[in-house]
Amino acid sequence: MPPNTTASTGQQPGKSGRRKGRKARLIVLVLVLALIGGVAYGSYWSISTVRASFPQTKGTLTLKGLSGPVEVKRDNYGIPQIYASSDADLFMAQGYVQAQDRFYEMDVRRHMASGRLSEMFGKSQVDNDEFLRTLGWDRVAKQEYDTKLSPATKKYLQAYAEGVNSYLQGKDGEDISLEYAALGFTHDYKPQAWTPVDSISWLKAMAWDLRGNMQDEIDRALLTSRLGPKQIADLYPQYPYSRNKAIVQEGQYSELAGAFQQGGTNGTSGTNGASGTNGTGGTSTGTASGGSGTSGTASGMSGTASGASGTAGLDSQLGGLTRVLDDLPPAVGVNGDGIGSNSWVVGGKHTISGKPLLANDPHLSPSLPSVWYQMGLHCRSVSSTCQYDVSGYTFAGMPGVVIGHNQDIAWGMTNSGVDVTDLYLEKITGDGYLYDGKVKPFVTREETIKVAGGESKKIVVRETNNGPLLSDRDEELVKVGRKATVDTAAPDRGDGYGVALRWTALEPGTTMDAVFAMDKAKNWTDFRKAASQFEVPSQNLIYADNENHIGYTLPGKIPLREESDNGSIPAPGWDPEYRWTGYIPQDALPYEYDPERGYIVTANQAVIDPDKYPYTLTADWGYGARSQRITDLIQSKIKDGGKISTDDMRQMQLDNSSEVARLLVPTLLKIDPENKDVREAQKLLEGWDYTQDADSAAAAYFNAVWRNVLKLAFGNKLPKELRPKGQCLWVEPVNTTGPADEAEKVRECGQRDPDKAQPDGGDRWFEVVRKLMDQPDSEWWSTPKVGTRPAAHNRDQLFKRAMIDARWELTAKLGKDIDSWSWGRLHRLFLKNQTLGTAGPEFIQYALNRGPWELGGGEATVNATGWNAAGGYGVVWVPSMRMVVNLGDLDKSKWINLTGASGHAYSAHYVDQTDKWADGELLPWAFSDQAVEKSTSDKLVLKP
């Protein structure tokens, strides 16, 4: 049957000024003209080629394997609501419908997760595949399917795969997606059948992007090449527990936890994990600053690896690892200091409806299509044979709903950031590695990487008892500096240390079971039981139900470490004292239920004050700028008995207030810049309310000043491995931050991807600067003269220099006339197809990509349209969706996606939600049968 949708006319200008830089497009005409250019590549595309893959959304289709008819109802945005009479039919239809809209995206994801990108994109992806094969996500997923998951979960995964494969049957690549037609220019590629393991593998890819503090481990070790322990401690300050409250304030954990303390009770005595080993408030001499774990250990690695963490050899290894990580395509988001998510729940005593309201907006890398897929899964009659009535957000390629609500409860997620990864230095000798004074043999496997248009490549993966050797995948990782000194307690470096990764996701788990269990949970007890199976990635889970209860629970497989190891820097793999000793029992993890205050906020801040908890969760929390702002907004609404509405929750999600501006602007206004043009820019800050709206000239200038403060005070003093590529500087000699003679300086160029370089400007850097504000003569405030730019020897002089540099930077970018300046002109979002949209022929990129949108918001604000201060002002992560669930009337809930339901470039639903997302609007979210029927525009019946 022919498709029943029409080609979109593309993005139309929005009513706000946020998108005034976008080009208007006559999509169909432009597409034809552009694709006629495909003749140069040996093919010709027509409108029929473009429309061939659009899904059928009306009428009737036969689906072999169904036990009864299934209805697929789509609203005006193409969002499907599926109605079936059995679980298997429900998930089979889910697979079919998601494949209709997003199969190319699903196919790319499974190739990434299994290290088979080269099969689709050729030799350019061989290095990525080598790294991904070394991690072995698909192997672990297969083990999960074979040994861990329940029979019911396997049944659902099989049904989902059958639905996907029913869609694929009889179709060529160009019948499935425009991208496959583009791939046909270079090689003959035919999609393979979907398997249950493909769905599970995607959970590993998601976990990788949300893995915690591995980058911080690398960065802290790299910093030792240029900075001393005290300076590194300055850059990883203690979490401000007294100012930015932890998530769990009135909660608890099982008394079972006390049994793991040697005589201690509730983390207040005995060998309290919060003292010294936690790294977030610890006071032991080995961990001088919360989160840093460096003072007293940065140059010595607790006296065991000694110079290893500060040597040229390890710098080379970790720098090489960072370059490998930079090249990997993100699954759901970049992994950095500033990235995070918001979720919060307000109990009925503070809401207009008298029932809870729950909000969530995960912050992830922008992608096209969005990582999320909106969907409803409804049993016509909930029973033992058909158990689901749930709606929300899931991933294309995975059955069930990940975030959303059913008829009884709602839930949301933010990344907990707990430390579930450790890097280990390994002394390699002969065919084995050193452990506890003995040489142990590697566990090895051979992998064959097939390459489209080229010859296959074989690699050998070696594993130690700590995990796979990542250093085998990059020559930089095995080049060891012979000049490096090592402590006598460490083995001879010889030809170098390898680097191995231990990560909880490399062990089979039960997260897929948890997804289905949460989808049908009816109350807090059900939800907590389901959450206990959510092993990887560890997430902050918030909860609300229609019986007026709210809650929070922290699930996850979280390792236990010896006191000598807080997981903050690479550990010596040869020393048994640094092995994991087990996992924190699920019953001992923190939770909170119906707190007296009546609300719970999670935004990647500390989960619990370490003085109240006996275990180490991480040394690297987010620093709580967003969470405390949300808390302040809630408290301002409920004071004097005020009540919160669904729209109040939406408005909170859009809060653009800059906490760092509130800190710095009063000082900036006291400075006399002398130059009239700089003074003109300074006046923009007078009377500014610190709100970073897209049309704000003050926000543009302040953020330019902030970026230059960070660069002058810190960025120019960091090692090249952390600075952005292309930034070449004459830098101070190692172990100094103060001025040096010109003759002593050395020229170094940055090596990190600009979107992942440091200082990124996230809330850790807010805290760094906040602490230094009271130290106006700190050595950090020194910066040398460059050209006509003056040197600085104290805080105010450096601020003055940053104001000068910012003025001329914006003059170059936005023009001399400050009346034309706006934050949105700097802070733009481009949506790119994550494969051919970034590396395909230019006309393909033009066909697949969209944007820009000019946005408000910023780094570590509630409306977290993040940017990396080291790399520029462009948007690098976003609220990937927004939702507000109203437990008083589920049909009054609201939601929005970053893009649209469809992955087809010229579908009407490719980016039809993006303008509204950019304007902060939410769409109606129908749930009841009556509301869904009323909102339905297309209805497809799938018959056996």
Side-chain angles (χ1 to χ4, degrees):
M1 291 186 175
N4 284 279
T5 55
T6 58
S8 168
T9 54
Q11 291 191 66
Q12 302 301 317
K15 60 188 178 184
S16 76
R18 301 181 187 195
R19 295 170 297 283
K20 56 190 175 185
R22 280 187 298 160
K23 299 177 180 178
R25 299 182 183 203
L26 297 174
I27 287 302
V28 174
L29 176 60
V30 170
L31 177 65
V32 172
L33 293 175
L35 298 187
I36 286 174
V39 172
Y41 290 84
S43 184
Y44 172 79
W45 291 356
S46 65
I47 289 294
S48 62
T49 305
V50 174
R51 296 185 60 192
S53 58
F54 287 6
Q56 179 179 340
T57 59
K58 294 181 179 179
T60 303
L61 282 172
T62 299
L63 216 60
K64 185 179 179 181
L66 288 177
S67 62
V70 176
E71 290 179 300
V72 181
K73 301 178 180 182
R74 294 180 183 258
D75 65 10
N76 288 330
Y77 289 88
I79 299 170
Q81 304 282 341
I82 300 177
Y83 289 82
S85 298
S86 74
D87 291 338
D89 285 357
L90 193 64
F91 294 117
M92 184 177 182
Q94 183 182 17
Y96 185 89
V97 170
Q98 287 191 339
Q100 280 187 306
D101 285 336
R102 300 274 193 98
F103 183 77
Y104 175 77
E105 174 194 6
M106 293 162 59
D107 200 16
V108 171
R109 284 179 175 177
R110 67 166 166 178
H111 278 79
M112 180 182 71
S114 59
R116 294 166 47 222
L117 288 168
S118 300
E119 294 177 18
M120 294 187 75
F121 306 110
K123 63 181 180 180
S124 66
Q125 297 301 312
V126 169
D127 288 346
N128 283 336
D129 282 348
E130 289 185 19
F131 188 83
L132 293 165
R133 293 287 185 94
T134 300
L135 289 172
W137 295 339
D138 60 330
R139 296 176 67 255
V140 182
K142 178 75 164 55
Q143 293 172 27
E144 285 187 8
Y145 184 79
D146 290 342
T147 65
K148 287 286 188 177
L149 299 181
S150 70
T153 294
K154 290 182 181 181
K155 177 183 176 182
Y156 301 156
L157 288 165
Q158 290 163 358
Y160 181 90
E162 288 174 13
V164 175
N165 293 329
S166 293
Y167 169 75
L168 294 177
Q169 189 173 4
K171 290 183 173 67
D172 294 325
E174 66 180 21
D175 300 324
I176 297 171
S177 177
L178 180 64
E179 289 91 335
Y180 289 122
L183 286 172
F185 286 149
T186 56
H187 65 275
D188 183 23
Y189 173 82
K190 186 172 180 61
Q192 298 175 346
W194 193 263
T195 73
V197 173
D198 291 334
S199 295
I200 304 169
S201 295
W202 176 240
L203 284 173
K204 301 301 177 184
M206 179 180 72
W208 175 254
D209 279 0
L210 302 174
R211 62 193 175 273
N213 76 334
M214 192 171 96
Q215 192 64 58
D216 287 307
E217 286 189 47
I218 295 170
D219 288 356
R220 272 190 286 264
L222 289 171
L223 286 170
T224 60
S225 69
R226 294 198 56 82
L227 303 176
K230 170 62 169 65
Q231 294 161 326
I232 296 173
D234 286 345
L235 303 186
Y236 287 86
Q238 287 186 335
Y239 183 92
Y241 287 97
S242 61
R243 186 175 69 252
N244 296 343
K245 299 300 183 183
I247 297 171
V248 175
Q249 300 170 41
E250 305 169 37
Q252 52 193 308
Y253 55 91
S254 169
E255 290 302 319
L256 178 65
F260 289 83
Q261 306 168 66
Q262 299 169 16
T265 304
N266 289 336
T268 57
S269 61
T271 56
N272 185 344
S275 178
T277 62
N278 186 285
T280 53
T283 55
S284 74
T285 56
T287 326
S289 71
S292 76
T294 51
S295 183
T297 64
S299 61
M301 199 175 293
S302 298
T304 304
S306 190
S309 68
T311 64
L314 185 60
D315 295 344
S316 174
Q317 289 183 333
L318 295 178
L321 176 57
T322 297
R323 286 188 287 279
V324 172
L325 297 179
D326 283 351
D327 288 340
L328 281 180
V332 297
V334 295
N335 191 283
D337 287 327
I339 197 168
S341 304
N342 304 320
S343 68
W344 67 95
V345 60
V346 179
K349 71 178 181 180
H350 295 313
T351 69
I352 290 175
S353 71
K355 291 291 181 73
L357 294 169
L358 185 150
N360 199 185
D361 54 291
H363 307 157
L364 303 170
S365 289
S367 61
L368 185 59
S370 166
V371 69
W372 297 109
Y373 186 94
Q374 295 154 287
M375 176 169 257
L377 301 172
H378 307 279
C379 288
R380 293 190 179 96
S381 177
V382 176
S383 66
S384 59
T385 57
C386 197
Q387 305 171 74
Y388 296 89
D389 188 13
V390 61
S391 184
Y393 297 84
T394 189
F395 302 119
M398 201 178 91
V401 167
V402 176
I403 293 173
H405 70 82
N406 60 30
Q407 67 271 40
D408 299 307
I409 73 166
W411 67 96
M413 297 184 189
T414 63
N415 195 28
S416 70
V418 298
D419 187 0
V420 295
T421 61
D422 276 340
L423 292 172
Y424 284 89
L425 301 181
E426 302 286 3
K427 173 58 181 175
I428 298 171
T429 174
D431 293 326
Y433 60 97
L434 187 66
Y435 178 72
D436 198 17
K438 300 176 182 178
V439 176
K440 299 190 67 171
F442 293 110
V443 174
T444 63
R445 67 179 188 273
E446 186 175 83
E447 299 274 353
T448 300
I449 298 172
K450 298 179 181 179
V451 182
E455 295 183 2
S456 297
K457 181 177 182 180
K458 292 186 177 181
I459 63 170
V460 174
V461 176
R462 300 187 294 175
E463 293 191 12
T464 73
N465 59 0
N466 291 312
L469 274 176
L470 303 186
S471 50
D472 282 352
R473 301 284 72 91
D474 190 286
E475 290 185 4
E476 284 294 321
L477 301 179
V478 295
K479 292 179 181 177
V480 179
R482 291 184 177 273
K483 298 179 182 178
T485 58
V486 292
D487 187 89
T488 53
D492 175 56
R493 186 178 297 277
D495 290 333
Y497 296 139
V499 179
L501 170 68
R502 184 157 191 193
W503 177 33
T504 54
L506 297 183
E507 302 170 15
T510 57
T511 300
M512 199 71 242
D513 283 341
V515 172
F516 293 114
M518 288 192 296
D519 284 356
K520 62 182 180 181
K522 294 182 178 299
N523 51 46
W524 173 245
T525 301
D526 288 350
F527 185 75
R528 281 264 291 166
K529 183 178 179 181
S532 69
Q533 298 176 288
F534 204 103
E535 294 183 339
V536 177
S538 176
Q539 298 286 287
N540 296 310
L541 298 181
I542 59 167
Y543 166 93
D545 64 37
N546 54 19
E547 296 296 324
N548 225 346
H549 299 293
I550 65 173
Y552 161 86
T553 189
L554 174 70
K557 184 181 279 188
I558 304 170
L560 290 165
R561 300 174 176 87
E562 295 288 350
E563 284 197 32
S564 56
D565 176 23
N566 72 354
S568 64
I569 53 176
W574 51 84
D575 190 337
E577 289 189 9
Y578 289 82
R579 291 277 292 165
W580 292 357
T581 58
Y583 299 96
I584 300 176
Q586 288 294 310
D587 287 343
L589 291 171
Y591 67 93
E592 193 165 68
Y593 185 61
D594 285 341
E596 180 62 30
R597 65 185 181 278
Y599 60 87
I600 302 170
V601 176
T602 86
N604 315 110
Q605 79 271 38
V607 168
I608 191 168
D609 191 316
D611 290 336
K612 301 176 181 178
Y613 192 65
Y615 296 106
T616 299
L617 295 174
T618 186
D620 295 290
W621 300 116
Y623 280 76
R626 281 179 290 109
S627 62
Q628 194 57 43
R629 175 63 179 171
I630 295 167
T631 298
D632 292 344
L633 290 170
I634 293 171
Q635 290 178 341
S636 70
K637 293 294 293 187
I638 65 177
K639 69 179 180 180
D640 302 323
K643 302 293 184 180
I644 292 176
S645 69
T646 301
D647 197 60
D648 290 333
M649 300 284 274
R650 179 188 71 87
Q651 293 286 354
M652 292 178 194
Q653 289 178 326
L654 303 178
D655 182 75
N656 285 333
S657 177
S658 170
E659 295 305 297
V660 74
R662 197 178 304 275
L663 172 68
L664 297 187
V665 165
T667 301
L668 295 174
L669 289 175
K670 294 176 183 178
I671 292 171
D672 181 4
E674 299 169 359
N675 181 282
K676 66 180 181 63
D677 293 314
V678 179
R679 189 179 299 114
E680 181 186 31
Q682 181 189 38
K683 288 182 179 179
L684 292 171
L685 304 179
E686 295 178 359
W688 180 43
D689 64 358
Y690 313 123
T691 298
Q692 301 171 101
D693 291 335
D695 60 359
S696 171
Y701 182 59
F702 172 77
N703 282 317
V705 173
W706 170 238
R707 179 175 186 247
N708 280 279
V709 166
L710 291 171
K711 179 180 178 181
L712 295 169
F714 312 104
N716 292 351
K717 298 159 189 174
L718 300 180
K720 60 184 181 294
E721 293 86 357
L722 275 69
R723 298 202 316 272
K725 294 175 183 175
Q727 185 192 78
C728 297
L729 301 169
W730 289 95
V731 299
E732 311 292 353
V734 170
N735 293 329
T736 69
T737 58
D741 294 337
E742 291 297 325
E744 295 177 351
K745 293 185 178 180
V746 294
R747 181 172 170 81
E748 289 182 349
C749 295
Q751 297 179 350
R752 188 166 289 183
D753 184 286
D755 288 349
K756 301 172 186 177
Q758 293 292 341
D760 63 16
D763 62 357
R764 172 165 68 90
W765 293 99
F766 289 14
E767 198 63 23
V768 169
V769 171
R770 184 188 299 276
K771 289 185 175 297
L772 290 172
M773 287 294 286
D774 295 330
Q775 304 173 47
D777 295 318
S778 167
E779 62 181 359
W780 289 109
W781 299 125
S782 298
T783 192
K785 177 181 178 181
V786 175
T788 60
R789 304 287 205 273
H793 305 289
N794 58 46
R795 182 196 65 196
D796 289 355
Q797 288 177 358
L798 186 136
F799 281 12
K800 181 177 180 180
R801 166 74 178 275
M803 292 168 71
I804 295 170
D805 289 357
R807 172 49 159 129
W808 300 120
E809 180 185 1
L810 294 197
T811 297
K813 292 180 181 295
L814 303 179
K816 188 174 182 179
D817 181 7
I818 65 172
D819 290 336
S820 70
W821 290 3
S822 71
W823 175 224
R825 287 181 62 196
L826 290 173
H827 193 53
R828 301 193 299 169
L829 169 66
F830 290 86
L831 292 175
K832 295 184 178 182
N833 177 288
Q834 292 301 290
T835 56
L836 300 181
T838 59
E842 186 174 345
F843 82 91
I844 295 292
Q845 292 190 41
Y846 186 84
L848 297 177
N849 297 340
R850 299 292 183 270
W853 284 264
E854 297 180 359
L855 301 182
E859 189 67 34
T861 62
V862 180
N863 185 20
T865 54
W867 55 288
N868 186 299
Y873 302 99
V875 177
V876 296
W877 51 76
V878 294
S880 55
M881 61 82 157
R882 298 186 184 102
M883 76 174 195
V884 179
V885 181
N886 184 331
L887 274 298
D889 184 345
L890 291 170
D891 287 331
K892 291 183 179 178
S893 301
K894 304 285 187 179
W895 62 353
I896 197 79
N897 206 351
L898 172 64
T899 60
S902 179
H904 300 289
Y906 292 98
S907 163
H909 306 305
Y910 191 47
V911 288
D912 59 338
Q913 297 185 52
T914 309
D915 284 355
K916 291 184 179 295
W917 172 91
D919 286 331
E921 298 181 35
L922 297 176
L923 302 176
W925 183 355
F927 179 71
S928 69
D929 293 350
Q930 298 86 347
V932 169
E933 184 64 30
K934 185 177 180 180
S935 68
T936 296
S937 60
D938 288 1
K939 184 183 296 184
L940 175 69
V941 178
L942 303 175
K943 290 189 173 182

